[in-house]
DNA sequence: TCGTTCACGC
DNA sequence: GACGTACGTGAACGAA
């Protein structure tokens, strides 16, 4: 955002960033162990797959047309050429536009057209493989030292909200959602001998920090452990009762309505996302009834009906369910318009020209990261004091990433929990909701691709749970290290 | 060299 | 009543 500056205005804020800077430099120095042999083999394997896919594509009829149009300049990687062939030459109706008004050919568009054009199915796969090879594997290989260590950079001075960023390579956007790409890339990150690789993270960090600002009593009740917000909202979205909300429906309510709404999205976009998910994910209710069938009975038979319905859901969401949150947003905005700035709880002032959504989101995003940074500094200091073998090796906004010596696991996780949920609320009295921590690490001898939940702490229940391979290890079970 | 588009994360 | 996700890094293309 242009013309916006954020500056520390308290001694604590300055100290947080000084200490953060020093801590992050030591974390960078620690480095992450990389399985270079694997990387090189996988790089070659991907190259082979890419070559085969290119060959398959070259045999499709459309390529003859494409080559006739572009001659030797034919380029399968050119979005401009692809858009021309699909929307001008084949006269497909435009599905979505880019910012400049050109027809978009992103993965959503490709996927919709891939039923009709087989070469687009291949192209979807090709883009995925190219991304994995050229953005991730290539840089991991290039940046890894002779000792097999990777040292990503963590910056505190680049982001307008005073979050952090990472580069060379960016350690904060390693694939995790697509199961295939996740495995291909994360398999490269391995623990040191006798260690386990993984992370400890804050659960629902931004929702909780937002709640500290708006103090909405309904939200507060949810966060203190009464009821399930995402299930209740999903019930509204799909016009049913909470007990009929399946796991997939809850997921959609959370990721296609609630979070977008918190970030400032509006009902039309949300409705389209929720509607398309019904078919894409084959949504069914807990009794097995397909969601589409159910909506039909409720009188919703097309997208337009559904948009109208979601408009009503949005109204309930902000004007009934979370009305104090909505009032806070208005007041916070008004104060910004009057003063020309606002302050984060953590002592940073944001001033300059900001849009509505920026004013609401910046203080949450910034302060949320500052909680992680505060905890990171203390955990790192404690590990140094006690001369632990384990190393903190990175940070991903609300997660501390460690290469952890397995015999130290229990002490570290309990200490991290103590810092992240107990010590921090003593220093920052503005944190008025219980915090949550969970940890996921790979079993001995495995890689980051195999991380599994081993520890959870639910603040509202004041309850610690050990699970997975670590529970077996701690119980004296079969896990070998 | 730089703006645009795409794709990955929280 | 109109308007409307936030924050990043990095690759590739293609016009300047």
């Amino acid at each position: 955002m242009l013309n916006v500056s954020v500056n520390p205005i308290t001694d604590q804020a300055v100290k947080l960033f000084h200490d953060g800077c020093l801590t992050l430099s030591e974390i960078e120095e620690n480095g992450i162990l990389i399985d270079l042999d694997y990387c090189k083999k996988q790089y070659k394997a991907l190259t082979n797959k890419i070559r085969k896919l290119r060959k398959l594509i070259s045999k499709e009829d459309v390529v003859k047309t494409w080559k006739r149009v572009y001659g030797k300049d034919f380029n399968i990687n050119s979005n401009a050429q692809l858009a021309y062939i699909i929307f001008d030459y084949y006269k497909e109706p435009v599905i979505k536009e880019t910012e400049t008004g050109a027809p978009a050919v992103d993965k959503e568009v490709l996927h919709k057209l891939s039923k009709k054009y087989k070469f687009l199915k291949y192209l979807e796969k090709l883009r995925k493989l190219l991304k994995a090879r050229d953005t991730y594997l290539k840089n991991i290989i290039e940046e890894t030292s002779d000792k097999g260590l990777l040292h990503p950079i963590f910056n505190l001075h680049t982001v307008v909200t005073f979050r952090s960023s990472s580069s060379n390579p960016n350690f904060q956007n390693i694939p995790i959602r697509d199961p295939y790409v996740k495995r291909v890339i994360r398999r490269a990150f391995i623990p040191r001998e006798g260690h386990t690789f993984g992370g400890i993270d804050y659960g629902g960090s931004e929702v909780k920090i937002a709640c500290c600002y708006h103090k909405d009593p309904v939200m507060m009740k949810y966060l203190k452990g009464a009821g399930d917000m995402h299930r209740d909202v999903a019930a509204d979205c799909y016009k049913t009762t909470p007990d009929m909300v399946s796991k997939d429906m809850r997921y959609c309510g959370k990721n296609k309505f609630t979070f977008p709404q918190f970030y400032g999205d509006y009902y039309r976009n949300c409705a389209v996302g929720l509607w398309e998910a019904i078919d894409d994910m084959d949504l069914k209710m807990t009794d097995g009834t397909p969601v589409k069938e159910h909506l039909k009975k409720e009188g919703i038979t097309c997208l337009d009906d559904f948009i109208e319905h979601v408009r009503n859901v949005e109204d309930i969401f902000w004007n009934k369910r979370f009305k104090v949150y909505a009032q806070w947003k208005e007041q916070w905005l008004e104060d910004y318009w009057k003063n020309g700035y606002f302050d984060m709880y953590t002592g940073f002032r944001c001033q300059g020209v900001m849009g509505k959504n920026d004013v609401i989101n910046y203080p949450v995003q910034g302060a949320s990261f500052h909680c992680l940074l505060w905890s990171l500094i203390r955990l790192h200091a404690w590990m140094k004091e006690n001369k632990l073998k384990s190393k903190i090796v990175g940070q991903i906004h609300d997660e501390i990433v460690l290469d952890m010596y397995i015999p130290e696991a229990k002490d570290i996780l309990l200490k991290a929990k103590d810092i992240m949920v107990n010590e921090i609320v003593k220093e920052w009295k503005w944190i008025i909701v219980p915090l949550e921590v969970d940890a996921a690490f790979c079993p001995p001898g495995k890689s980051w691709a195999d991380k599994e939940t081993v520890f959870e702490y639910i603040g509202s229940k004041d309850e610690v749970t050990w699970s997975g391979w670590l529970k077996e290890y701690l119980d004296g079970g079969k896990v070998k290290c």
Side-chain angles (χ1 to χ4, degrees):
Chain A
M1 177 70 60
L2 215 59
N3 295 325
V4 175
S5 68
V6 185
N7 287 300
I9 53 163
T10 64
D11 291 345
Q12 288 96 322
V14 171
K15 185 161 174 4
L16 178 69
F17 267 44
H18 280 173
D19 293 345
C21 209
L22 293 175
T23 298
L24 284 170
S25 75
E26 292 184 15
I27 285 167
E28 288 172 4
E29 194 181 356
N30 281 341
I32 301 160
L33 191 60
I34 296 297
D35 188 342
L36 262 184
D37 282 343
Y38 163 79
C39 288
K40 287 171 183 167
K41 268 184 207 157
Q42 186 58 252
Y43 189 95
K44 277 184 191 154
L46 285 175
T47 301
N48 274 328
K49 285 188 175 139
I50 287 165
R51 190 184 305 123
K52 281 178 190 160
L53 263 177
R54 286 188 192 280
K55 206 164 187 180
L56 274 175
I57 292 171
S58 74
K59 286 179 184 156
E60 294 289 312
D61 277 348
V62 65
V63 175
K64 284 181 201 137
T65 312
W66 196 331
K67 283 185 172 161
R68 202 163 55 236
V69 175
Y70 288 99
K72 69 175 173 54
D73 291 331
F74 159 78
N75 185 349
I76 195 75
N77 295 329
S78 164
N79 297 321
Q81 290 185 15
L82 177 62
Y84 182 80
I85 295 298
I86 294 176
F87 300 106
D88 287 297
Y89 206 88
Y90 284 129
K91 302 267 184 274
E92 285 295 333
V94 173
I95 292 169
K96 189 165 126 185
E97 290 185 348
T98 66
E99 269 183 29
T100 59
V105 285
D106 63 15
K107 64 174 175 182
E108 186 199 335
V109 173
L110 255 53
H111 190 69
K112 279 183 185 155
L113 290 166
S114 68
K115 282 155 210 150
K116 190 164 170 190
Y117 299 95
K118 206 164 88 187
F119 85 103
L120 290 179
K121 268 209 178 79
Y122 297 139
L123 187 56
E124 280 183 285
K125 182 83 184 166
L126 179 65
R127 279 187 181 178
K128 207 178 264 191
L129 298 179
L130 284 170
K131 179 80 179 168
R133 189 188 66 172
D134 297 339
T135 298
Y136 295 105
L137 269 185
K138 178 170 75 75
N139 284 313
I140 291 168
I141 292 169
E142 276 176 11
E143 298 284 350
T144 297
S145 72
D146 297 343
K147 291 175 183 163
L149 290 176
L150 182 67
H151 305 272
I153 305 296
F154 295 99
N155 294 300
L156 288 179
H157 67 288
T158 60
V159 183
V160 65
T161 59
F162 270 38
R163 230 194 193 188
S164 68
S165 72
S166 170
S167 61
N168 303 95
N170 183 347
F171 187 64
Q172 295 177 324
N173 73 344
I174 307 296
I176 191 163
R177 304 218 176 146
D178 183 290
Y180 170 74
V181 185
K182 168 191 172 177
R183 178 145 297 276
V184 165
I185 304 302
R186 292 194 175 225
R187 167 64 183 81
F189 296 80
I190 54 173
R192 291 163 168 87
E193 183 72 33
H195 287 222
T196 170
F197 194 88
I200 308 171
D201 63 300
Y202 276 116
S205 152
E206 291 200 5
V207 173
K208 293 184 178 202
I209 298 310
C211 194
C212 296
Y213 283 94
H214 59 66
K215 304 183 180 76
D216 185 285
V218 177
M219 178 80 76
M220 200 90 93
K221 220 170 152 187
Y222 278 125
L223 297 186
K224 285 184 174 167
D228 179 344
M229 165 171 69
H230 296 303
R231 194 187 60 164
D232 293 352
V233 174
D236 284 1
C237 287
Y238 292 118
K239 215 171 183 200
T240 180
T241 49
D243 62 304
M244 295 302 268
V245 172
S246 61
K247 214 178 160 194
D248 284 345
M249 288 165 71
R250 183 184 182 278
Y251 171 90
C252 290
K254 176 178 165 184
N255 293 300
K256 294 171 192 297
F257 183 84
T258 304
F259 282 148
Q261 286 286 331
F262 287 160
Y263 281 129
D265 206 352
Y266 81 125
Y267 67 91
R268 185 176 292 272
N269 278 343
C270 296
V272 172
L274 287 166
W275 182 256
E276 284 174 350
I278 296 173
D279 284 337
D280 289 352
M281 297 178 65
D282 193 21
L283 288 187
K284 289 189 176 79
M285 304 202 293
T286 47
D287 68 353
T289 313
V291 169
K292 217 159 240 154
E293 217 171 88
H294 166 73
L295 287 173
K296 209 171 177 179
K297 272 186 224 151
E298 297 287 333
I300 296 169
T301 55
C302 61
L303 179 59
D304 280 343
D305 292 348
F306 191 66
I307 289 171
E308 203 44 38
H309 161 67
V310 176
R311 194 165 75 95
N312 190 39
V313 175
E314 189 188 77
D315 181 55
I316 292 169
F317 189 83
W318 288 115
N319 297 323
K320 294 209 173 71
R321 200 186 285 278
F322 299 124
K323 57 173 185 262
V324 174
Y325 192 165
Q327 282 159 12
W328 173 83
K329 291 207 290 187
E330 272 181 39
Q331 187 63 48
W332 186 260
L333 253 176
E334 228 175 80
D335 289 348
Y336 161 69
W337 283 333
K338 201 175 81 197
N339 301 324
Y341 68 83
F342 57 82
D343 294 335
M344 294 181 196
Y345 275 135
T346 45
F348 292 84
R349 175 161 298 179
C350 311
Q351 47 203 329
V353 181
M354 284 173 270
K356 223 168 163 175
N357 291 337
D358 305 326
V359 175
I360 303 302
N361 289 320
Y362 285 12
V364 175
Q365 188 176 99
S368 185
F369 169 67
H370 299 154
C371 290
L372 189 278
L373 186 61
W374 191 95
S375 302
L376 180 82
I377 291 164
R378 271 144 194 90
L379 184 63
H380 182 252
W382 176 82
M383 286 170 62
K384 260 173 76 175
E385 263 167 46
N386 291 281
K387 301 193 168 53
L388 297 195
K389 278 188 170 184
S390 305
K391 293 170 192 299
I392 300 180
V393 296
Q395 159 270 127
I396 314 174
H397 307 304
D398 61 1
E399 175 180 0
I400 297 169
V401 180
L402 298 101
D403 190 346
M404 190 161 70
Y405 182 47
I406 293 173
E408 294 169 352
K410 188 180 176 187
D411 287 347
I412 289 176
L413 293 179
L414 289 174
K415 182 63 187 177
K417 180 224 102 179
D418 200 43
I419 292 170
M420 292 168 78
V421 308
N422 297 330
E423 290 186 26
I424 197 166
V425 302
K426 284 181 205 154
E427 170 129 346
W428 282 339
K429 304 287 188 201
W430 53 267
I431 302 177
I432 52 168
V433 296
L435 300 174
E436 273 174 52
V437 171
D438 52 80
F441 283 81
C442 69
K446 301 278 188 141
S447 73
W448 206 15
D450 295 297
K451 73 165 174 149
E452 55 179 60
T453 300
V454 294
F455 174 87
E456 281 171 289
Y457 173 78
I458 312 288
S460 56
K461 295 183 189 159
D462 190 24
E463 202 174 274
V464 167
T465 317
W466 302 90
S467 58
W469 67 269
L470 185 58
K471 181 176 166 56
E472 279 186 44
Y473 171 80
L474 294 173
D475 291 346
K478 308 145 237 168
V479 179
K480 276 188 247 158
C481 327

